[in-house]
Structure formats: structure tokens, C-alpha cells
Amino acid sequence: MAGRRGGSVSSAEASLLAAGTGGVEELCEHLADDTVAWALLRWEVGSGTFVRSKLVAIHFNGEEVPAVRRGRLNARSGEVLAMLGKAHATLEVKRKEDLHLDFMCERLMKVLTADVMEKSMSAEALRKDYEALIAERKLRKATSQKSVGPRTAKENQKQISVDRALAAVGDATGPYNWVLLEPEKFELHNAGYGGLLEMKVWLAEDLVLFGVIRFTFGRETASSVEGMTASPKVVKCARRNMFGRRGKWNAKQQQADAQVRAICSITFRREAHSLDDLDLADLISELWRLAVVDGAITDAGKSQISVEEYMASLALEQQKQLEAELEEFGSDSASRMCTDLHTCVDSVREAGGEMNWVLLGMQKREAPAQAAGAKEAAANAKKAEEERLAKEAAANAKKAEEERRVKETAANAKKAEEERLAKEAAANAKKAEEERLAKEAAANTKKAEEERLVTKAAAEAKKAEEERLATKAAAEAKRAEEERLAKEAAANAKKAEEERLATEAAAEAKKVEDERCAREAAANTKKVEEERLAKEAAAEAKKVEEEGRAKEAAANTKKAEEERLAKEVVQGEPASSRPRADSPFLTEEARPSESVISTRSSRPGQASTEPRMSGPLKLKSGWGWWWAKRHVKLTGGKLQWWRKAAEGLPDVEYRLSDGLTRWVLARHEGTDLEMRCESRDNHHGSKAVGERVILRAPSEAEAQKWKDALMEQMEYVEMLLAWPMHLDGRQGDIRNYGIEYP
């Protein structure tokens, strides 16, 4: 950003002083307390489609301006404000330090809260929102104008002198850390801040180049790069002859050394004929060795001279230089863009425009010749200042080099004296040590001989004592062994006697127990037999009783049937009310065939108590996959089977029909009969629903017999359940026919 002030108030006219994109803080940089100026600021909050823009006119009435001049300038305030256009708010500020974000937020709260969306926003939130928006615009502008990455002096098209470039390399914080010089007139070949790797890119194989590079280790305490620890800086400079043709260019080596040493302090020199001669690790290793030998670094600083520390420090240098270049580039481009007053004002007033502030002031027009002279004078002054700084840097470098040489000479002399004294002290110490060792050796020899004689006498005495003790111990051991053997013999005899007695007692006890078990087994057998006979007698009695009841029920049924038929004849009751084989209460499979009905008694209660079918069959129950041979019996509306003979209670028993479920013949295929249990009225509460049984007969003829018997039993039970006659007060009470009611 550039500013222009001057001229009398009477001849001055409102002109553009500066414009930019950095908001309030950037505007403040162009204000001074000894000026009167007018600014238009676009204040934006929010983001995206919710961005709100407010225009603020600022009258900067510097308190250090003389009263008369300030009065005349303020009299033209309306003229300048008219050029800026209408604004949502107008502020007056008298001191530069008063124009800051907090002041603006407090003064603009009333204007901004006029929008419904901003009523709940505080001054602090308003400040943060504005700062975020300005930072975003700066970043977007910087990235759109320039790519990030270190650039050399040639790439940036900067015109700098050789002395200035060498001084920058010699300065620990200079903008360049390497420089290459042409061999003819020692003109600048290139300079940069990308370190050794960047410098090697600019080497030419057809030239002899002279170069200087600065190695920086460690990082600044106030580092702004995340992850870098703070440590003091260690700076070394190394001068190199770069590879190329030999000859007259190499003859200028001493001249190049003198020019570099006049400005920079050189640590060591390296001549390279290829890029491989400039290995980073090798150069840093040499720097570490020289620093340790010269004593120019403490023990704590030795660890800092490494490839890792160099690369970290180089990254920090590049970061700072890039920031400086971006700031310089941004300022220059802003100055180039904002040369017309009306264009800048329109840009500020436009929502989302590139500029967000513009500064106007009163400035007298200068004649073209005057302006050219002023520019030339400024250029000459700048050049003189650069030469003065270069000479001053060269003088300081020369003085530092002389001081280093004096210190180096003194240090070498001191080191030589210390080495001489150390050698003398070492010789004296060695001689004294040899004498001490000789005396110690003689004393040790005498002492060793005495100890040997004493040891020999002690050994002989010890041997005699050990022999005596061994003889005594052998005698005691022999006696103890004899006593032990005697005790063992007595113990073994006692143990054998006890075992014999225990064996006899065990045999006697076993005999008694066997007799008791035999008696108990006989008693249990007798008891079981008596219970079995009692059960058989009870079953026989029950059977006789049931047969009597069945006969009585059959007689009653027959009598009731005859009475009903007689009534039908008398009353003319239709025959359709009598039970039929096609009754709707019977399923399709359960309807009896004509042959089955014709073979039965005309009385439903006359069911035989003998099994309908009985014999060995193979079967599968449930959903298993293996066949089992069982004795199967079909009787009284039940399917029963035993593992072997039909004795006692059956192992499994299925009722062919009950109140909720019934068994149906699902499949007849060859010798296989498959039966399944199904619900009568879609009631699935019974666990048996869905269960199946597959019977396999020895032959197809036998399978047909079993099928007929099963169908007969199923149909018969269904008929009894559906019989419409009242038998003893119940409808279809099949217990009267020798069948248990389901």
C-alpha cells in the first residue's frame, strides 16, 4: 500500500491515498495522528448466502493537526463524503489507536442489529465473525495470486547487488542462505533461500562457479512453526568452488575468496567437481568436526549439528521468507490495482467486491517534472542507503574476521602450551607410576611367598583333621546303617502281620455283605412279583367291569335307537337326520368305506376289545432318519408299541383322535405308511401337531392290512365322536364303547 500527502489546503483536491482488502487493521496502518483523512469501510459478517454488508464512513480528524489547517480540511468534509457515497453509519476518530476492532464492533452494534438475523449477536461474536471473514479473503487472494514455494532471485526477477546478496547469506536472519557468483566479473549468478538442494539445481557443468552457503542449525525461541522446539541458532558458512572447466576461471579463486571474506566469515572451503561431491550429510559432518575441534560449541549444542536440525531450521527460514514475499506481493498488487479513485470506491461499495476499504485525503497536484525529480531523488537515496548498509556490513564482517583470527591464534598458542605441559606431566606421572609399581611388585612377591607357606601348613593340618573326621564319620555311619536295617526289618514284619489281619477282616466283611445283599434281592424280587400279580388282577377286574358297562351301554343305545326310529316313523322325521357316512363332522380320510360299515355291528357301541392289528414293524418317529424295529399294536383307537414283546405298559402310545387333534394317513407307498398329526380347527396349542410316524411292513400285503385297520379305527373313532344320539347325558361318549375318551 502506498500513501501520498502534501500540498496546501486551498490548492489541494480529494485524491486516493490507499485502498486494500485487509479490513480495519490494514486501514489503520495508513493513518497518522497528524493528518485529516476520510475512509469508506465495508463491514461484512456471516458467510455464504447469509453475508450481511454495511458501509461505514470514517472521518479521521487527527488531533496533532494544527487547528487552522484542521478547520480548513474539516470544512471540506461534506465534499469528500459525497465522493464516497451514502453509508449506513458515519464515525469520527481523532487518534489512530482508537480505531480498532472492539471500537468498531461497539459502535456498529445498533446498525447491525437492525437486521432480524443479527439481533442475538454479541460484540465479541461480531468481532470473531469479522476476523474470520477477513482472514478467509486474504488467504483466497494470496493463493490466487501466487503459488507457494521458495523462489530464487532470478525467478522473482529481483535486481540485487553481489555485496547485498553476500551480506544476506552472512546474516543469520538474512533473506538468502546461498549465493552463486559468475567466474568472470563475480556477478550474481543466482541466490535463494531453499538451501543446498536448491543451490545444486542452479549449478552448470560448463561453468566454474563460486558459491557461499549458510548452514543454520536449531530454531528460534519464538518459532511460529508448529512442532518445532526452541533452541539457540548455530550458524556456519562454507565457501565452495563449483564444478566446471579449469583454467583462467580457477585462477580467480583467491580473488573470489577475498571478496567473500570481506563480507562473510567462512568456516571451511570445499572444491566440488560433481554434484556427488556436495553431499549434505558429508558437509554437515565436516561442520560438526570443526565445531568440536575449535571448541566453538558446547556439549549441549553438539546434538544440534545434524541433518535433521538443518532441515528443520531450513523449513522455518522458508516459511518466514514465503510469508514476507506474499505480504510484499500482496501490497504491490494492491497498489497496482488501486490507481483510480472512483474504481476503488465502487469496489468497496459493491457487495463482495475485491476492496473492502478506501482512504481519501487532500493532496496538491505536482508538476510532471517535479514528480520525476522526486522519484529520481528517492531512487538515488535508496541506492545510497543500500551502499552504506553494504559497506557497513563489509566492515563489520572484516572486523569479525580479524577478531576471529586473533582469537584463533591465541587459542592455538594456548593449546600448544597446554599440550607441552601435559606431555611433561604425563612423563613425570609415568615415571612415578613405574617406581610405585616396582615397589608394589616386590612387596607383593614377599607377601605372596609368606601366604604360600602359611597356606601349605594350613592345608596339611586340614588334611590330617579331615582324615580323622572321615574315619570317625565312617564308623558312626556303619553303626547307624546297622540300626536302620534292624528297624526296617522290624517295621516290615509288623506291616506284613497287619496286612494279613486286614485281609482276613475284609474277606469276612465281604462274606457278610454278600449274604445280606442276597437276602435283600430275594425280598425285592418277591415284592415285585406280588405287585405285578396285583396289577394284573386289578387290570382283569377293570377289564371285566368295563366290558359289563360296555354291554349295558350298548343295550341302552340299541333301545334308544329303536325308540328314536319308532318316533320318526310316528312323527314322520326325515331320514336325513340320521347319522350318515358322509357326515360333515368326518374328514375325507376319516369317512368309512361301505365295506368297513357293513362289517360293523349296527350298534356303534359294539367295538371289539381285542387288538385290531398287532405285530413287529419297522418305524421312524418324529423327524429322525433311522429305522427302529418295534412291536406295534392297534387297539381301542390307540397306536402303541414296545421295544420287544407287548408286555406291561407300552413305551409309546398315540391316541388316533382327541378333542384338539387327530392322526391321518398322509401317505401309502409300497410297504411304507406315513401318519401325521393335524389340528381339528387350526388350533396349534398341542405339542403333537406336526409330528409324524412312518411304519414299514414286511410286505405290501401286510402294509395294506395295516392301512385298512388304521382307516377303520380312525373312521370308527370319528363316527363315535360325531354320533348325534344322547348316550347317558353325553353326546358321543365313546367310553361306553370300551374306548377312552380323548
Side-chain angles (χ1 to χ4, degrees):
M1 311 300 167
R4 301 186 295 273
R5 302 184 183 87
S8 63
V9 176
S10 59
S11 61
E13 62 180 7
S15 60
L16 177 68
L17 298 181
T21 62
V24 176
E25 295 180 350
E26 189 179 52
L27 171 62
C28 288
E29 296 176 0
H30 297 272
L31 297 176
D33 291 342
D34 60 349
T35 61
V36 175
W38 295 265
L40 180 65
L41 172 71
R42 185 176 71 245
W43 186 278
E44 293 177 318
V45 292
S47 60
T49 58
F50 298 101
V51 173
R52 297 292 182 269
S53 299
K54 298 295 181 182
L55 296 175
V56 182
I58 300 174
H59 178 198
F60 185 77
N61 195 7
E63 63 180 8
E64 295 182 7
V65 180
V68 175
R69 178 179 176 81
R70 182 170 54 193
R72 291 177 179 176
L73 290 172
N74 289 335
R76 303 186 64 182
S77 180
E79 174 188 344
V80 179
L81 292 176
M83 297 176 67
L84 295 176
K86 293 183 179 180
H88 296 91
T90 302
L91 305 178
E92 182 179 0
V93 182
K94 294 184 178 182
R95 293 188 304 171
K96 175 181 178 179
E97 62 183 18
D98 293 338
L99 187 61
H100 49 77
L101 279 178
D102 293 335
F103 169 78
M104 295 294 295
C105 291
E106 292 175 1
R107 297 294 298 270
L108 296 177
M109 278 297 294
K110 294 182 179 180
V111 177
L112 293 173
T113 52
D115 292 343
V116 177
M117 296 184 63
E118 305 294 338
K119 286 186 177 180
S120 60
M121 180 174 287
S122 63
E124 181 65 22
L126 187 65
R127 173 194 174 102
K128 291 182 179 179
D129 199 1
Y130 180 76
E131 287 178 338
L133 188 63
I134 293 298
E136 180 184 355
R137 289 188 178 275
K138 283 184 177 180
L139 179 61
R140 187 166 62 247
K141 182 177 180 63
T143 54
S144 64
Q145 290 175 343
K146 183 173 183 178
S147 60
V148 178
R151 302 183 66 182
T152 63
K154 277 190 175 181
E155 291 172 327
N156 284 330
Q157 298 180 356
K158 287 187 176 181
Q159 301 295 329
I160 60 172
S161 64
V162 174
D163 291 344
R164 184 181 176 187
L166 290 174
V169 175
D171 186 2
T173 59
Y176 301 111
N177 53 33
W178 65 268
V179 62
L180 293 176
L181 303 180
E182 300 284 352
E184 289 289 345
K185 298 180 180 180
F186 302 113
E187 296 177 347
L188 183 67
H189 180 71
N190 204 352
Y193 56 92
L196 180 64
L197 297 178
E198 184 183 58
M199 185 184 73
K200 289 167 71 174
V201 174
W202 290 91
L203 297 177
E205 295 185 358
D206 58 344
L207 291 176
V208 172
L209 298 175
F210 302 100
V212 181
I213 183 169
R214 181 180 74 235
F215 286 87
T216 305
F217 304 93
R219 281 143 281 181
E220 292 183 355
T221 303
S223 174
S224 62
V225 180
E226 183 179 358
M228 292 188 176
T229 57
S231 59
K233 284 195 171 183
V234 181
V235 180
K236 297 290 180 181
C237 296
R239 181 196 164 282
R240 294 170 178 74
N241 282 346
M242 297 309 167
F243 52 91
R245 294 193 306 270
R246 301 176 182 177
K248 64 176 183 178
W249 289 345
N250 288 335
K252 295 187 176 183
Q253 176 179 323
Q254 293 182 353
Q255 184 179 353
D257 284 344
Q259 183 172 354
V260 172
R261 289 184 182 276
I263 300 176
C264 298
S265 175
I266 300 175
T267 300
F268 77 95
R269 176 178 169 277
R270 171 68 61 88
E271 184 172 343
H273 298 278
S274 67
L275 293 178
D276 295 336
D277 295 338
L278 297 176
D279 181 66
L280 179 61
D282 181 47
L283 294 174
I284 292 178
S285 176
E286 180 66 15
L287 283 173
W288 185 88
R289 186 187 68 79
L290 293 173
V292 173
V293 171
D294 295 344
I297 191 170
T298 62
D299 292 338
K302 292 178 182 179
S303 62
Q304 298 175 6
I305 302 180
S306 65
V307 175
E308 292 77 10
E309 287 292 331
Y310 169 69
M311 296 305 294
S313 181
L314 181 63
L316 183 58
E317 288 185 38
Q318 293 177 355
Q319 175 81 11
K320 291 183 176 180
Q321 189 61 25
L322 282 172
E323 291 176 356
E325 287 186 2
L326 286 174
E327 183 177 357
E328 180 182 356
F329 185 84
S331 300
D332 292 342
S333 63
S335 299
R336 289 194 297 269
M337 287 185 294
C338 296
T339 57
D340 181 67
L341 184 150
H342 297 291
T343 301
C344 292
V345 171
D346 292 342
S347 177
V348 174
R349 297 189 65 85
E350 180 184 358
E354 186 175 4
M355 299 295 169
N356 54 28
W357 65 269
V358 61
L359 182 65
L360 305 182
M362 294 298 178
Q363 199 170 52
K364 182 179 180 180
R365 288 186 177 272
E366 295 182 358
Q370 256 184 337
K375 288 183 180 179
E376 185 176 353
N380 293 334
K382 183 177 181 182
K383 184 177 180 181
E385 179 66 14
E386 289 179 351
E387 292 177 354
R388 185 187 66 78
L389 293 175
K391 290 179 180 179
E392 187 176 318
N396 292 336
K398 184 177 180 181
K399 183 179 179 181
E401 178 66 14
E402 291 174 352
E403 291 177 352
R404 187 188 68 78
R405 288 180 179 177
V406 171
K407 290 181 181 179
E408 187 175 333
T409 303
N412 291 336
K414 182 179 179 182
K415 184 177 180 182
E417 179 65 17
E418 289 176 350
E419 289 178 352
R420 185 185 64 77
L421 294 175
K423 289 179 180 178
E424 288 183 1
N428 294 333
K430 183 178 180 182
K431 184 178 179 180
E433 181 66 15
E434 289 174 351
E435 292 176 354
R436 184 184 65 78
L437 292 176
K439 291 180 181 179
E440 284 186 0
N444 291 336
T445 302
K446 183 179 179 181
K447 183 178 179 182
E449 181 63 20
E450 292 175 352
E451 290 177 350
R452 186 184 66 79
L453 295 175
V454 171
T455 302
K456 183 178 180 181
E460 291 176 353
K462 183 178 180 182
K463 183 177 180 182
E465 179 65 17
E466 289 176 349
E467 290 176 353
R468 185 185 66 79
L469 293 175
T471 304
K472 182 178 179 182
E476 291 179 351
K478 183 178 180 182
R479 187 178 65 184
E481 180 66 16
E482 291 174 351
E483 292 177 353
R484 186 185 65 78
L485 293 174
K487 289 180 179 179
E488 282 186 0
N492 290 336
K494 183 178 180 182
K495 183 177 180 182
E497 180 63 19
E498 291 175 349
E499 289 177 352
R500 184 184 63 78
L501 294 175
T503 302
E504 290 180 355
E508 186 67 24
K510 183 178 180 183
K511 183 178 179 181
V512 173
E513 180 65 18
D514 291 344
E515 291 177 354
R516 186 185 64 77
C517 290
R519 287 196 297 271
E520 286 184 356
N524 290 336
T525 302
K526 183 178 179 182
K527 183 178 180 182
V528 170
E529 181 64 19
E530 290 174 351
E531 290 177 353
R532 185 183 67 78
L533 294 174
K535 288 181 180 178
E536 287 181 356
E540 188 67 23
K542 183 178 179 182
K543 183 177 180 182
V544 172
E545 179 68 19
E546 290 176 349
E547 289 177 353
R549 290 180 179 177
K551 291 178 181 180
E552 184 178 348
N556 293 334
T557 302
K558 182 179 180 182
K559 183 178 179 182
E561 178 66 12
E562 293 173 351
E563 291 176 354
R564 185 183 65 80
L565 293 174
K567 289 179 180 179
E568 285 182 0
V569 173
V570 174
Q571 299 175 2
E573 183 181 353
S576 59
S577 63
R578 288 175 289 178
R580 304 186 307 273
D582 57 350
S583 173
F585 294 99
L586 303 179
T587 61
E588 184 65 29
E589 294 84 352
R591 293 194 182 100
S593 61
E594 293 297 331
S595 60
V596 174
I597 296 175
S598 63
T599 58
R600 293 183 186 152
S601 170
S602 60
R603 296 172 59 191
Q606 294 179 349
S608 175
T609 59
E610 293 299 324
R612 179 66 179 86
M613 290 291 291
S614 178
L617 294 176
K618 290 184 179 179
L619 61 84
K620 288 182 183 178
S621 61
W623 296 94
W625 296 102
W626 57 90
W627 292 94
K629 189 173 182 180
R630 297 288 184 266
H631 186 89
V632 184
K633 181 190 291 187
L634 178 62
T635 180
K638 299 177 182 177
L639 186 65
Q640 305 170 334
W641 64 75
W642 292 258
R643 291 183 178 274
K644 294 181 180 180
E647 295 180 356
L649 297 175
D651 295 327
V652 179
E653 179 181 272
Y654 288 118
R655 297 176 182 175
L656 296 180
S657 183
D658 59 21
L660 299 176
T661 62
R662 65 181 176 185
W663 285 83
V664 297
L665 185 60
R667 180 175 62 89
H668 175 205
E669 184 176 341
T671 59
D672 293 347
L673 301 173
E674 181 179 346
M675 299 177 61
R676 291 186 183 176
C677 183
E678 64 179 24
S679 173
R680 287 184 174 276
D681 52 357
N682 294 327
H683 181 77
H684 298 285
S686 175
K687 296 181 179 179
V689 173
E691 192 171 350
R692 72 171 186 170
V693 174
I694 303 177
L695 304 176
R696 176 170 288 178
S699 63
E700 293 186 3
E702 188 72 15
Q704 185 64 39
K705 291 180 180 180
W706 275 96
K707 175 186 177 182
D708 295 340
L710 286 169
M711 292 297 295
E712 179 182 344
Q713 290 282 306
M714 294 176 185
E715 294 168 355
Y716 189 56
V717 172
E718 289 293 331
M719 183 182 70
L720 292 176
L721 288 172
W723 189 251
M725 293 298 294
H726 291 273
L727 304 178
D728 297 337
R730 291 180 61 88
Q731 182 175 355
D733 194 342
I734 62 175
R735 291 181 296 181
N736 295 324
Y737 307 100
I739 301 174
E740 185 178 352
Y741 191 79

